[in-house]
Each structure stands twice: as C-alpha cells, then as structure tokens.
Amino acid sequence: MTEPLKVAIVGSGNWGSAIAKIVGHNVLKSDDFATEVKMYVYEEMVDGRKLTEIINTEHENIKYLKGHKLPENVVAVPDARDACREADILIFVLPHQFVRRICSNLQGHIKPTAVAISLIKGFDVHDKGLELISNVVRTMLSIDCAVLMGANIASEVAGENYCEATIGCKKPDFGKLLKKLFQTDYFRIVVVEDEITVELCGALKNVTATGAGFVDGLGYGDNTKAAVIRLGLMEMVKFCEEFYPGSKMSTFLESCGVADLVTTCYGGRNRRVAEAFVKTGKSIPELEKEMLNGQSLQGPPTAAEINIMLKAKNMEDRFPLFTAIHRICIRELEPQKFIDCLKNHPEHM
Ligand SMILES: NC(=O)C1=CN([C@@H]2O[C@H](COP(=O)(O)OP(=O)(O)OC[C@H]3O[C@@H](n4cnc5c(N)ncnc54)[C@H](O)[C@@H]3O)[C@@H](O)[C@H]2O)C=CC1
Ligand SMILES: O=C(CO)COP(=O)(O)O
C-alpha cells in the first residue's frame, strides 16, 4: 500500500484560489491523494484581519476570489516552507515575478522526491536571456515540473462554467496522475507531451491580449481585433520555431493555444487594463493598482522580457507586433501607431 500523495499549492491569487477549489474537491475523490491540501498564502491584512485566518475560518479568499467558497480541506499557510515541506506534488500558481524568490526560499526544504506543475504564465529573465518558469522550478529545486495552461479566466472556472485546459507533460504516468488531480466534469483536460510549447503559448498570449486591449481602447471593432489575434498567433508560432524549435503545430490548436488567446483577448485583465491605458493616458502600474485590487498583470512585463531577447538578437523587426506592444506600454510609441504596425506587418508585404 503506497502512502497517499500530499499536495501543496504555492500561490493563492485569483487563479490560485480557483484551482484550490478544484484540487481541494478532487483529492477527496481519489485514494491517490491525501485529503488535506496546504496552500501557501502571501500574508496580508484584509479588513483588519489576516488573509490566512479569513480563508481558514470563512473558506473564501475574499480579496482575490470573492464569492466562491473553497473546500474546507484547503488550509491556508503563511509560510511557504511549512506549506511545502511534506508535499509530494507542488502546484506553482503565482505571478511569475515572484517565482525565483519563492524557489530560493524553498531550496533544501522540500522532499527530494517531490514533483511539480506550473500554472504560471510568463518568463524569467536573467543575464543569459529568457528562461521558462518551469525550468526555474526544475533547476532551482532539482525536481521534475510539468505545466498546465488553457483558456481559463479564473472567475469563470470558479463559477464552474465549462472550459478546457492543456497539461504539458513528457512522462505519461505523471500526466495521468495530474489529470486525475485537476480534471472535473466542467474543467476538461487534454494531456500532451509538447510541454515547452504549452508553456510558451501561455506566456506569449498575454502579450497579444495587451495589443487586443489597445485596439479596443482606440475604438476599432472586432475585425481589427481578429487581425491582432491572427498576427499575434503567427508571431507566437514564429517565436517558438526560432527560439524553441520542435513545437508540434497541433499544440497551438489545444486550449493552451488558440482558445486561451481568444478568451484573453476578449475577457482578460490584460485586455481590460490595456484598453484603459489608451483611453485614460495613465501608466500601466497606476492602472494595475486602480483596477486590479492586488492582482497582477502579466502581459506588459512579458512583452518587456521578450523584447530584451529580441533586441539583443537584433530581431525586433521580425516580431513587429510584440515589439510595438512593448514600446506602447513603455510610452516609446503612441498607441495610435499600433494600427500602422498592423498595416505594415511583414505578413502583408
Ligand atoms: N487569473 C486568471 O484568470 C488566470 C491566471 N493565470 C496565471 O496564473 C498565475 C497566477 O495568477 P493569479 O493567481 O491570478 O495571481 P493574481 O494576479 O491574483 O496575483 C496576486 C497574488 O500575488 C500574491 N503576491 C503579491 N505579492 C507577492 C509576493 N511578494 N510574493 C508572493 N506572492 C505575492 C498575492 O498575495 C496574490 O496571491 C499568473 O501567471 C497568471 O498569468 C492563468 C490562468 C488564469
Ligand atoms: O490567463 C488567463 C486566462 O486563461 C487570464 O488572463 P488575464 O491575466 O489577461 O486575465
């Protein structure tokens, strides 16, 4: 008889809390998993009380996922090491900006046999260039790391509206176990082996969604947004071919690809803030603070991260959409010029 596997969730934001609801319920349905799920919560005071205390008494993350109850077997823990020390499966789901800090805190304080899955959309930047977030987890913690990405706006998933997600995992047995941990009747999972492309799709679509928000802010209609989505997808594919050769085209047709691109370009936070950026003239950090109540935007920082590499390799003109989006975010380019970028895209030359 093998021991049931202990699961810990590293992160408790908007998506982290939605996934805690799913995982908390699923562990109760299978003998493979221990019933308690520890969730690392970055401690803060909300209405004069500690957020961990609120989650553990009211079973709701009232700041990041209001209106959705979490199962009572999900226990909020303010110390990442305490949350993860005994875990066999670590689910990483926090804004990508914090991953290195968390991993460095966890080094030497997790089971050497643990495995991980990253739900994080973004890149890590270091002096040698870009790094996949899953690779930061793999190298800093010396453990295996799969990924889960998809068209998954957190509040809709928490509301149990039907949707799909893609798990990228090279090892079939691990993939099967992860599917058991995440799939529900309203959250349907496809497991593919092409884990790098799954992760790249998740990171890059946030950049395109920022561009979709710009055209909304400029008052253009759905045809223009469809052009942004198409050109963005072309650049996503090209980015993968150029820097991570070996992608399967079929991966772009999974939920992590086209579907996530569409949902984020219509319903996501990146789109919403980018629209306000054009309409109000305020800066991205200002709007993030005003509009997101502590949630974190991934598109503009990801655009900056990939631009460091494109610039270093003298390849900005081969990715004009990604480049223009970054330059608009940092106010190097007027938002109105975005339309010129679309008109003059190499696709039309
Ligand atoms: N929200 C969504 O609809 C979806 C988000 N994702 C991805 O999931 C990842 C996590 O996103 P969310 O859960 O939505 O986060 P979020 O956008 O709600 O971010 C806020 C979280 O960051 C934490 N935080 C703030 N400062 C911190 C620090 N110094 N150290 C550690 N944590 C800190 C906050 O406590 C809170 O838990 C991102 O990569 C995002 O792109 C993926 C699918 C859907
Ligand atoms: O990743 C997401 C949906 O799949 C969420 O996108 P936003 O961060 O733009 O809300």
Side-chain angles (χ1 to χ4, degrees):
M1 214 1 228
T2 48
E3 285 285 301
L5 300 167
K6 294 191 171 115
V7 180
I9 302 177
V10 185
S12 55
N14 193 227
W15 186 219
S17 302
I19 220 66
K21 179 182 165 186
I22 288 180
V23 167
H25 282 303
N26 275 358
V27 294
L28 300 177
K29 292 183 195 153
S30 164
D31 293 337
D32 288 336
F33 306 110
T35 53
E36 184 182 84
V37 174
K38 288 190 174 147
M39 175 170 75
Y40 161 61
V41 174
Y42 181 73
E43 191 68 285
E44 62 187 291
M45 299 303 285
V46 180
D47 300 337
R49 293 166 67 197
K50 288 182 176 165
L51 183 56
T52 48
E53 198 181 294
I54 298 173
I55 294 173
N56 288 336
T57 51
E58 292 170 27
H59 306 291
E60 183 176 332
N61 187 340
I62 61 163
K63 176 154 182 192
Y64 294 104
L65 191 68
K66 205 170 171 51
H68 298 280
K69 288 288 173 200
L70 301 179
E72 297 193 7
N73 55 323
V74 173
V75 178
V77 179
D79 184 297
R81 291 179 185 173
D82 289 345
C84 298
R85 191 169 281 117
E86 293 175 0
D88 300 292
I89 302 178
L90 298 165
I91 300 170
F92 283 87
V93 54
L94 28 80
H96 73 276
Q97 296 87 332
F98 307 126
V99 170
R100 238 173 221 283
R101 218 176 308 159
I102 286 284
C103 286
S104 121
N105 182 21
L106 290 177
Q107 273 172 335
H109 298 276
I110 58 164
K111 280 186 170 179
T113 52
V115 285
I117 180 163
S118 168
L119 278 56
I120 298 169
K121 296 173 177 172
F123 288 101
D124 178 66
V125 193
H126 52 76
D127 46 358
K128 292 197 192 83
L130 286 186
E131 183 84 88
L132 295 173
I133 297 294
S134 62
N135 238 14
V136 175
V137 173
R138 282 183 203 110
T139 51
M140 288 188 76
L141 299 178
S142 305
I143 58 176
D144 198 4
C145 185
V147 297
L148 181 150
M149 308 278 146
N152 303 139
I153 299 218
S155 55
E156 293 182 22
V157 180
E160 305 191 5
N161 298 352
Y162 173 84
C163 68
E164 302 173 319
T166 315
I167 286 179
C169 182
K170 289 206 175 93
K171 296 186 179 151
D173 287 349
F174 184 29
K176 255 187 217 157
L177 183 74
L178 289 171
K179 183 164 178 162
K180 200 181 272 184
L181 185 59
F182 288 99
Q183 177 157 278
T184 71
D185 64 337
Y186 63 88
F187 189 64
R188 308 304 288 172
I189 307 274
V190 174
V191 182
V192 300
E193 286 184 14
D194 188 10
E195 63 186 16
I196 292 183
T197 312
V198 173
E199 184 167 2
L200 286 166
C201 282
L204 294 171
K205 63 88 195 178
N206 282 332
V207 179
T208 305
T210 307
F214 292 155
V215 298
D216 282 345
L218 291 166
Y220 288 83
D222 285 340
N223 293 342
T224 315
K225 187 138 82 178
V228 172
I229 293 174
R230 189 186 83 85
L231 294 171
L233 182 59
M234 300 290 285
E235 291 197 11
M236 285 166 62
V237 172
K238 201 182 165 88
F239 190 93
C240 293
E241 280 171 359
E242 196 68 52
F243 302 111
Y244 300 87
S247 287
K248 281 195 180 152
M249 202 41 81
S250 58
T251 307
F252 293 96
L253 302 181
E254 297 293 345
S255 181
C256 63
V258 172
D260 197 7
L261 191 55
V262 171
T263 202
T264 315
C265 286
Y266 282 89
R269 302 169 294 188
N270 285 291
R271 188 219 65 81
R272 194 153 44 93
V273 172
E275 179 184 33
F277 174 83
V278 174
K279 285 185 168 165
T280 65
K282 293 181 182 174
S283 71
I284 300 272
E286 225 177 328
L287 291 165
E288 192 175 11
K289 207 163 178 202
E290 265 179 39
M291 298 174 69
L292 297 186
N293 188 32
Q295 291 179 39
S296 179
L297 216 54
Q298 312 294 307
T302 304
E305 287 149 14
I306 61 179
N307 188 257
I308 295 173
M309 188 161 85
L310 295 179
K311 207 174 231 161
K313 294 187 183 288
N314 214 8
M315 286 173 75
E316 281 179 296
D317 57 342
R318 294 183 58 196
F319 294 88
L321 189 93
F322 289 172
T323 303
I325 291 167
H326 167 62
R327 292 186 61 211
I328 292 169
C329 286
I330 59 166
R331 295 221 176 278
E332 225 177 76
L333 192 70
E334 286 291 310
Q336 289 74 8
K337 297 274 191 239
F338 192 50
I339 302 302
D340 292 341
C341 155
L342 302 179
K343 284 181 195 163
N344 298 318
H345 198 280
E347 271 289 292
H348 306 132
M349 295 300 151

